[in-house]
Amino acid sequence: MTGHRPLVFAHRGGADALPEHTLGAYLRALDEGADGLECDVRLTRDGHLVCVHDSRLDRTSNGRGRVSSKTLAELNALNFGSWHPGYPADTELPDLSRLLTLERLLDAIRSSGRPVRLLIETKHPSRYGAEVERRLIRMLRHFGLAEPKPDDDVQVTVMSFAALALRRIRAQAPALPTVYLLELVPPGVGRGRLPFGARAAGPGVDLVRARPTLLPAIKAAGHQAYVWTVNEPADLEMVLEHRVDGVITDRPRFILDHLAGM
């Protein structure tokens, strides 16, 4: 194809093979050779950042209700893996069933002994508003990741669909890379303009397909582009034609194999 090799990110840890946002899924993605990982973060009632996509617990755990209304201890009592077809029956595997905190994920990445890029999406709307970004920056500072260093094996980028969230990140940690996620095209973005605080664009693959001029406009404006969620060979070929910088996928090994064969 183009000879261009984008970075490959495991979406929620590579949610196709194993339960999403579990430590086992993330470790498998690293073993498979993914360049980076993607996670969503929400705040618990007692102020902990946890890796959960949905605002409610019903889909990905045996619990009910909103993540934001639970304490960390309450969430730790739930099983976050048994719903997934990749979860082994009649087997207790904590790394595939236990709630994953952002702190635990960062610890695992730091201990992996290899370069890892981590995309962190802050989920909004949230009852805690700006506290989500404040807690995130505090956590990244604790790990020495709020001010990126070129020689650091761990590099963090913050993403959000909420432009205000990215402005908050820019104000608190100006050097952190940021990605403005897109499901629709707001005014101006179709011509390559991004809101203040955003340094890259993150359109969904369906949007890229529906708006073929979007990625060329973004790239022509000098912005990087990370596309989600690229799971099929035809979609991979499409985004490669636009020389995107990152591919976010539920199937990291599948995508890596296709890239190797091109």
Side-chain angles (χ1 to χ4, degrees):
M1 287 296 300
T2 65
H4 174 64
R5 166 57 160 89
L7 296 170
V8 176
F9 295 90
H11 183 238
R12 307 180 199 172
D16 186 65
L18 293 173
E20 66 188 61
H21 285 127
T22 59
L23 184 60
Y26 285 110
L27 294 178
R28 172 175 169 148
L30 292 179
D31 287 344
E32 290 179 342
D35 300 295
L37 310 172
E38 185 270 350
C39 72
D40 306 290
V41 293
R42 294 185 177 276
L43 267 182
T44 65
R45 194 175 80 210
D46 50 348
H48 294 273
L49 286 165
V50 294
C51 300
V52 181
H53 176 270
D54 299 2
S55 62
R56 298 188 62 86
L57 293 161
D58 307 54
R59 180 179 67 87
T60 58
S61 81
N62 59 346
R64 297 290 182 271
R66 293 191 173 276
V67 176
S68 60
S69 69
K70 308 292 186 183
T71 65
L72 182 60
E74 289 171 328
L75 294 172
N76 274 332
L78 301 177
N79 187 309
F80 280 82
S82 58
W83 62 275
H84 193 280
Y87 185 81
D90 304 319
T91 304
E92 187 63 32
L93 296 174
D95 282 354
L96 293 180
S97 61
R98 180 184 172 194
L99 173 80
L100 183 62
T101 63
L102 180 61
E103 182 175 20
R104 190 167 176 233
L105 177 58
L106 289 170
D107 273 330
I109 291 172
R110 273 284 188 220
S111 302
S112 68
R114 51 155 288 188
V116 181
R117 292 173 179 259
L118 178 63
L119 305 177
I120 302 174
E121 180 186 345
T122 61
K123 303 300 290 184
H124 290 280
S126 165
R127 71 175 68 188
Y128 302 116
E131 188 65 16
V132 178
E133 282 73 38
R134 280 196 292 268
R135 296 276 180 155
L136 173 58
I137 296 304
R138 187 186 306 171
M139 176 72 67
L140 294 179
R141 286 204 176 104
H142 172 73
F143 280 88
L145 297 171
E147 297 178 0
K149 305 173 187 66
D151 59 345
D152 198 328
D153 275 349
V154 181
Q155 300 289 329
V156 170
T157 295
V158 180
M159 311 192 299
S160 187
F161 286 96
L164 180 57
L166 299 181
R167 287 200 291 273
R168 291 193 287 255
I169 295 296
R170 180 75 172 267
Q172 297 174 62
L176 268 181
T178 51
V179 176
Y180 183 43
L181 294 170
L182 298 165
E183 202 162 22
L184 303 171
V185 182
V189 175
R191 296 187 296 277
R193 294 208 317 262
L194 298 180
F196 178 79
R199 290 187 167 91
V205 70
D206 292 339
L207 181 59
V208 171
R209 193 182 302 108
R211 295 287 295 267
T213 61
L214 178 61
L215 280 179
I218 289 167
K219 298 295 284 186
H223 302 303
Q224 290 189 325
Y226 296 77
V227 180
W228 54 275
T229 305
V230 180
N231 291 331
E232 302 299 332
D235 289 336
L236 177 61
E237 292 182 14
M238 176 181 66
V239 300
L240 285 178
E241 291 292 342
H242 294 294
R243 302 183 70 81
V244 299
D245 301 276
V247 168
I248 303 170
T249 177
D250 292 323
R251 311 170 71 189
R253 181 70 263 164
F254 180 79
I255 295 296
L256 288 165
D257 287 345
H258 272 270
L259 287 171
M262 287 180 169

